Amino acid sequence: MKTQYCPLCNRGGLSVRNDTVKFDNLHSCKYLLTPVTAESLTNLQKKCQTMNHPQIFGNLTFNQRLMRNNIFSTPVVMDCEKAQVKKYIEMKKRQSVRKYDELKVLNAKLVRIGTPPLITGRKHEPVQTELFLEELFEKPDESEVALQTDYFLNKPSTPLYCSTKMGQDASTQIESGDLFDYDVEIQPILEVLVNKTIEQALIEVLEEEEIATLREQQRKFLELRAVEKAEQQRLEEQDRRLREEKNRRVKQYEEGIKKQQETKERVAAAVLLTGYIAELLPIVLEGLKISGFLLDEIKTDVQQEFMPWLMKELKKEIGTMIQSRSILEELVKKIIKNRFKIYTQLGDEYDASRKLKVKSLENICKEEEY
Amino acid sequence: MYPHPQLNSYLNGLSLQTSKIIVNRTVYKALQEKYTRGGRNSEFLRVTSIQPQCFAPHVDVTRAKCGFKQFALPKLNMELGSDDPLIVRQALTTLTDLLCYPEKLSEAIQLNIPNSLTDFLVSNDPYLRERVAMAYATIANQVSGKEAILKNLTTVANLSRGLDDSLAAVRLQVARVLEALANNNSAADKLCIYGFVKAISGKLTNERKDILIIYLSILELLFHRNSKAAAIKNGSFDEIVALLSRKDEILLCKSLSCLRVLCEDLSGKQKALELDLLVKLKELLTDKREYVNLEAARVMSFITITSRGKLRLLELRMPSFLLLTLTQKCCPSQELILTNVAEAPEGRRMLLKYESLIENIAVGKNQVLQRHRQTLLDVVRWRP
């Protein structure tokens, strides 16, 4: 916080607002922007009193803005002091000039060290080191190159219409040579044009050479890459072949081992069978036959002999049954027919006798009535 | 070129009180409205009418008048939408000249000029097609230009159509664009995705030599980007093999380079054996031209990696010839072919007779040749 002094009592204080300052927590007074002079101090003291300033200590010797001497007097420099001052200024000037000269000599030495001495068998030649090349007026080696430019379009037919002009017309007479001499004026422009063209051409040629070198390098690299790629693929193929061969042989070996094991087991089993099971087999077969598990012989016997015989006998029996049945049917029919005849005859005879009986009875009745 | 058609001096003559600059600026604004935004305010567009031009004899009518400073590109971009074909031609030619400078190209990309040029690729005017293809070739030389071209699918489609253009000059320029694009790996990947391998392969049969060389360069670059199997499936291999019957050296070398890249893949090797390419390569190996020999040997070194290739080479009785050429001039690819052949028992048996000859092959101080000769000797001396 900025410390401010009361313009009236010259005591320090802290600014509370923009225009009010508080002094030592005892009193506050209005900050006055107007400059204070010694003449107006008494009036200000009065003002300060009117603004409830409790006590004024008006010791002006402590006010920094006041001059403690007589206001009509000016500071006086003695003659001896003047000479000293002048001497001092001159000395300073001389020193600065000497320093400047020394610096100049040193810079000159630093900038131009000088051409190194000649080596035996060599000689100095002037070389252009400027930014732009300049023509040296010695005819260089020339070579002609022909180029086919792009084709131009046909000039279109000129239209009839012409537009109105813009601006105002003015005229003046220019004699030949008034403006400029073409041959003289064109020389610097032409020089710049030619030099720039040569420079550009040089740059382009260098660029083309660089590109050609790069392409050649790239081609060589690609050739090497192709060879290495082929070698890599050969090794991969070799590795694949060896791996497949190894796998095939391992598999073959494993199969051989497996077959050998199986053969061994078979041989062992065959030996065991011949020695041990050969005696057991007939007994087992016999037992099975007895138990009825081996039905092969009975089955063939039944199929080949019994069944045809059975069929034959069955046919014979059924044939006799059919024949006897038909004979029996014929006999029954005959008997029934005979009986039918007998019974019909007997019925007729019975009916006739009955009718006779009825008639006789009727006759008897009639006779009785009479 | 006086007067410029957009100066509208007849409009200036209508009212003496109106400032001519204001009239010209109004016309400029109206033209901008018309060409860039389509122009819906018909009353405002009345002032866009232009007047005919008169050309002095020394004037280059192919270039636009005001192609300089920071106003050049926006103005030229606006003039591309002009109704007058001559103004469009001039603008396009000047744009092609300006886009050579990278800073101008960057500015052009910011102004979206590559997209404005797209429609000219399929224009009816062959001059415009050629010039715009030249402009794209210039744009494609810069990385940001490549991105700008491949970002616009219409441009890509139009470039694809440009391959079928009736004018050879346009096809040549389009091929240059694609070559410039294919030089960048990411751009080459995108070209493979967009199906340019198939499109270019289809154009190999009936094409001019200079364009064909560029096509083959593009294909070689694209084949490096994992598109070999797809290319073989599409029939590119057969198309390139058909070119081996040509006599031109550069064309043969380029075709053989493409085949070499394809034969790096297993399917390529199988295809080469199916087509019995080794017979043709044997002919080329005996050719008098050195570069053709080298390229043929490279292709052969890849085909003979397979067992079928080795056997076929033995059938053709090539090892003795290769050995003879090796003694005259050593080449790593030929050494590699013999190494491949030596892996077959019959070949090894045959080469074992010439062991001393192999040892005496002059390789100089070339470490690569020395290494390959040692590998060949190791394989020949190998005993199972």
Side-chain angles (χ1 to χ4, degrees):
Chain A
M1 193 175 282
K2 193 181 173 184
T3 309
Q4 291 180 355
Y5 295 92
C6 176
L8 307 177
C9 55
N10 200 25
R11 282 185 297 179
L14 303 170
S15 67
V16 177
R17 284 200 305 271
N18 289 335
D19 53 354
T20 310
V21 183
K22 195 173 184 182
F23 298 97
D24 301 337
N25 296 324
L26 296 171
H27 70 281
S28 62
C29 58
K30 194 83 173 173
Y31 187 82
L32 297 171
L33 296 173
T34 49
V36 179
T37 59
E39 290 171 3
S40 61
L41 197 63
T42 49
N43 296 332
L44 282 168
Q45 281 175 336
K46 286 171 189 172
K47 273 186 190 175
C48 195
Q49 281 174 344
T50 55
M51 289 164 70
N52 297 325
H53 204 288
Q55 199 174 0
I56 301 167
F57 296 97
N59 191 354
L60 296 173
T61 54
F62 294 101
N63 196 329
Q64 292 172 352
R65 285 165 292 181
L66 291 178
M67 194 176 171
R68 278 176 286 176
N69 295 328
N70 187 0
I71 56 166
F72 299 108
S73 65
T74 51
V76 178
V77 182
M78 301 296 283
D79 289 342
C80 57
E81 284 177 347
K82 268 185 184 176
Q84 274 179 358
V85 168
K86 201 175 179 182
K87 209 182 263 179
Y88 178 77
I89 290 163
E90 277 175 2
M91 190 187 72
K92 280 278 176 192
K93 265 186 185 175
R94 276 201 301 278
Q95 271 181 0
S96 65
V97 167
R98 196 163 54 243
K99 266 189 182 176
Y100 179 73
D101 289 343
E102 280 172 3
L103 202 67
K104 209 173 176 182
V105 170
L106 190 68
N107 281 341
K109 276 181 184 174
L110 283 171
V111 170
R112 273 193 78 79
I113 295 166
T115 320
L118 281 172
I119 302 166
T120 50
R122 291 191 186 175
K123 59 174 183 178
H124 281 167
E125 281 292 336
V127 179
Q128 281 191 1
T129 53
E130 286 81 11
L131 189 60
F132 298 106
L133 290 173
E134 286 180 21
E135 196 176 354
L136 294 174
F137 298 104
E138 283 181 8
K139 196 177 179 184
D141 295 335
E142 290 179 354
S143 62
E144 288 185 359
V145 176
L147 281 174
Q148 180 62 52
T149 54
D150 291 342
Y151 63 88
F152 287 99
L153 293 171
N154 291 328
K155 182 178 170 293
S157 57
T158 312
L160 293 172
Y161 175 78
C162 277
S163 61
T164 53
K165 294 180 288 186
M166 287 173 73
Q168 290 179 344
D169 288 345
S171 65
T172 181
Q173 180 65 40
I174 298 167
E175 299 295 338
S176 58
D178 276 359
L179 291 176
F180 64 93
D181 186 1
Y182 180 80
D183 293 338
V184 175
E185 299 287 336
I186 203 70
Q187 271 188 5
I189 299 166
L190 272 177
E191 273 185 17
V192 170
L193 277 175
V194 169
N195 291 331
K196 284 295 283 183
T197 311
I198 291 168
E199 191 186 358
Q200 187 65 30
L202 274 171
I203 290 165
E204 283 178 12
V205 166
L206 285 171
E207 192 185 348
E208 279 171 13
E209 279 180 4
E210 192 183 349
I211 288 167
T213 316
L214 282 170
R215 289 221 169 115
E216 182 62 20
Q217 199 179 350
Q218 194 179 12
R219 192 185 64 76
K220 281 180 183 170
F221 171 73
L222 284 172
E223 279 175 18
L224 199 65
R225 182 189 166 276
V227 172
E228 294 302 326
K229 182 94 178 167
E231 177 66 11
Q232 180 207 341
Q233 286 193 359
R234 185 187 72 79
L235 290 170
E236 279 176 3
E237 187 67 17
Q238 190 186 36
D239 183 54
R240 187 189 62 78
R241 280 201 306 273
L242 288 171
R243 197 171 57 247
E244 280 181 5
E245 182 65 19
K246 190 191 109 186
N247 290 340
R248 197 171 62 80
R249 291 201 176 187
V250 166
K251 200 175 172 185
Q252 206 175 9
Y253 176 74
E254 282 172 357
E255 279 178 2
I257 292 285
K258 201 176 173 183
K259 277 181 182 172
Q260 197 178 359
Q261 193 68 28
E262 277 178 7
T263 315
K264 271 182 185 175
E265 283 173 4
R266 275 185 189 178
V267 168
V271 169
L272 200 69
L273 274 171
T274 50
Y276 181 72
I277 305 174
E279 292 175 3
L280 198 67
L281 188 65
I283 300 163
V284 172
L285 287 171
E286 195 66 28
L288 286 169
K289 269 184 184 177
I290 293 163
S291 314
F293 287 105
L294 292 174
L295 298 171
D296 289 348
E297 287 181 6
I298 297 163
K299 195 177 177 181
T300 48
D301 193 29
V302 166
Q303 281 177 352
Q304 287 175 5
E305 291 181 9
F306 175 71
M307 287 305 285
W309 174 81
L310 187 68
M311 291 300 284
K312 195 179 170 184
E313 289 300 315
L314 199 68
K315 277 180 184 173
K316 216 183 266 179
E317 188 65 29
I318 288 165
T320 51
M321 278 174 72
I322 291 162
Q323 275 180 357
S324 58
R325 193 175 285 171
S326 60
I327 291 164
L328 195 68
E329 276 179 1
E330 280 176 8
L331 283 171
V332 171
K333 278 179 183 174
K334 276 182 182 177
I335 291 163
I336 289 166
K337 279 180 181 175
N338 288 332
R339 285 200 175 178
F340 179 72
K341 281 178 183 174
I342 293 164
Y343 282 126
T344 46
Q345 201 175 356
L346 286 171
D348 292 339
E349 284 174 3
Y350 176 73
D351 290 338
S353 63
R354 192 159 179 174
K355 281 177 181 176
L356 285 171
K357 275 179 182 180
V358 172
K359 275 182 180 178
S360 61
L361 282 168
E362 282 176 354
N363 290 330
I364 295 164
C365 290
K366 281 177 180 178
E367 283 174 0
E368 285 176 354
E369 284 175 0
Y370 292 115
Chain B
M1 202 189 316
Y2 179 82
H4 194 274
Q6 291 165 13
L7 284 178
N8 293 283
S9 53
Y10 69 96
L11 281 172
N12 289 329
L14 290 176
S15 169
L16 292 170
Q17 291 172 351
T18 315
S19 168
K20 291 167 185 176
I21 296 166
I22 288 170
V23 171
N24 285 340
R25 201 169 284 181
T26 313
V27 171
Y28 178 79
K29 284 272 180 195
L31 281 168
Q32 228 174 7
E33 178 85 14
K34 185 181 176 184
Y35 296 143
T36 56
R37 293 165 204 165
R40 288 172 191 167
N41 189 354
S42 58
E43 288 178 3
F44 186 53
L45 292 177
R46 279 181 194 173
V47 289
T48 61
S49 59
I50 54 172
Q51 55 185 338
Q53 291 173 278
C54 303
F55 293 97
H58 63 278
V59 171
D60 179 7
V61 291
T62 57
R63 260 75 177 175
K65 190 182 171 188
C66 304
F68 61 92
K69 288 195 177 177
Q70 71 268 32
F71 306 108
L73 289 177
K75 188 171 172 59
L76 292 172
N77 190 22
M78 200 190 73
E79 283 182 353
L80 285 176
S82 173
D83 297 329
D84 189 350
L86 184 61
I87 290 173
V88 177
R89 282 180 172 200
Q90 288 170 344
L92 194 54
T93 314
T94 315
L95 258 178
T96 313
D97 295 341
L98 286 175
L99 290 175
C100 295
Y101 304 103
E103 66 272 13
K104 288 282 176 195
L105 178 60
S106 169
E107 195 186 335
I109 289 164
Q110 280 178 359
L111 289 168
N112 217 13
I113 287 177
N115 292 345
S116 308
L117 296 174
T118 304
D119 294 335
F120 295 114
L121 275 171
V122 287
S123 167
N124 291 324
D125 187 354
Y127 178 83
L128 286 182
R129 289 206 301 272
E130 188 192 351
R131 283 285 160 182
V132 84
M134 282 169 79
Y136 272 121
T138 317
I139 293 167
N141 280 323
Q142 303 288 334
V143 178
S144 53
K146 286 184 180 81
E147 283 175 9
I149 290 170
L150 290 170
K151 211 182 277 178
N152 192 342
L153 291 177
T154 318
T155 312
V156 176
N158 289 345
L159 282 172
S160 181
R161 280 180 209 158
L163 294 171
D164 298 320
D165 201 285
S166 56
L167 203 68
V170 179
R171 291 202 302 277
L172 182 71
Q173 295 303 332
V174 171
R176 280 184 183 158
V177 177
L178 293 175
E179 190 186 17
L181 289 172
N183 270 317
N184 185 281
N185 288 347
S186 59
D189 282 337
K190 282 185 181 171
L191 287 180
C192 290
I193 293 164
Y194 294 144
F196 272 92
V197 174
K198 194 180 178 184
I200 294 169
S201 302
K203 309 286 178 298
L204 293 178
T205 45
N206 301 314
E207 193 52 272
R208 275 172 45 168
K209 194 192 93 181
D210 49 348
I211 303 173
L212 209 53
I213 288 165
I214 300 173
Y215 280 173
L216 288 169
S217 300
I218 299 164
L219 281 178
E220 190 185 344
L221 289 165
L222 295 184
F223 288 155
H224 279 296
R225 310 304 308 162
N226 294 328
S227 62
K228 296 182 196 89
I232 293 161
K233 207 175 175 183
N234 290 332
S236 304
F237 199 97
D238 303 77
E239 299 283 350
I240 298 166
V241 167
L243 292 176
L244 294 180
S245 55
R246 301 269 187 110
K247 299 290 176 193
D248 187 72
E249 186 183 357
I250 304 169
L251 205 60
L252 277 173
C253 287
K254 286 280 175 192
S255 307
L256 288 167
S257 294
C258 287
L259 287 174
R260 175 178 55 74
V261 181
L262 285 176
C263 284
E264 284 177 10
D265 198 65
L266 184 63
S267 55
K269 291 183 189 87
Q270 285 170 354
K271 188 76 182 173
L273 290 166
E274 275 174 29
L275 297 171
D276 207 2
L277 194 64
L278 285 172
V279 178
K280 187 70 192 171
L281 290 174
K282 187 185 172 185
E283 282 175 27
L284 294 172
L285 212 61
T286 53
D287 199 282
K288 288 175 184 174
R289 291 165 291 189
E290 190 188 345
Y291 280 110
V292 177
N293 293 345
L294 279 170
E295 288 294 337
R298 275 179 206 136
V299 181
M300 211 177 250
S301 69
F302 278 100
I303 297 171
T304 49
I305 287 168
T306 56
S307 303
R308 274 174 67 197
K310 285 172 191 137
L311 295 172
R312 182 66 184 142
L313 202 76
L314 286 166
E315 278 175 19
L316 293 169
R317 296 178 182 177
M318 285 287 290
S320 52
F321 171 74
L322 287 167
L323 207 57
L324 193 69
T325 49
L326 262 179
T327 50
Q328 288 164 2
K329 192 182 178 185
C330 193
C331 161
S333 300
Q334 289 182 352
E335 280 182 333
L336 209 61
I337 297 167
L338 283 177
T339 313
N340 290 336
V341 172
E343 284 181 337
E346 198 182 334
R348 189 163 57 246
R349 205 178 305 127
M350 201 192 74
L351 287 171
L352 209 56
K353 293 174 194 170
Y354 304 106
E355 192 183 343
S356 59
L357 203 67
I358 297 167
E359 277 178 352
N360 293 325
I361 292 170
V363 289
K365 290 181 179 177
N366 192 329
Q367 289 184 348
V368 178
L369 290 172
Q370 283 175 2
R371 186 159 51 84
H372 283 290
R373 187 186 64 179
Q374 192 54 46
T375 314
L376 175 59
L377 280 169
D378 289 346
V379 175
V380 169
R381 286 168 185 163
W382 182 75
R383 288 183 188 284

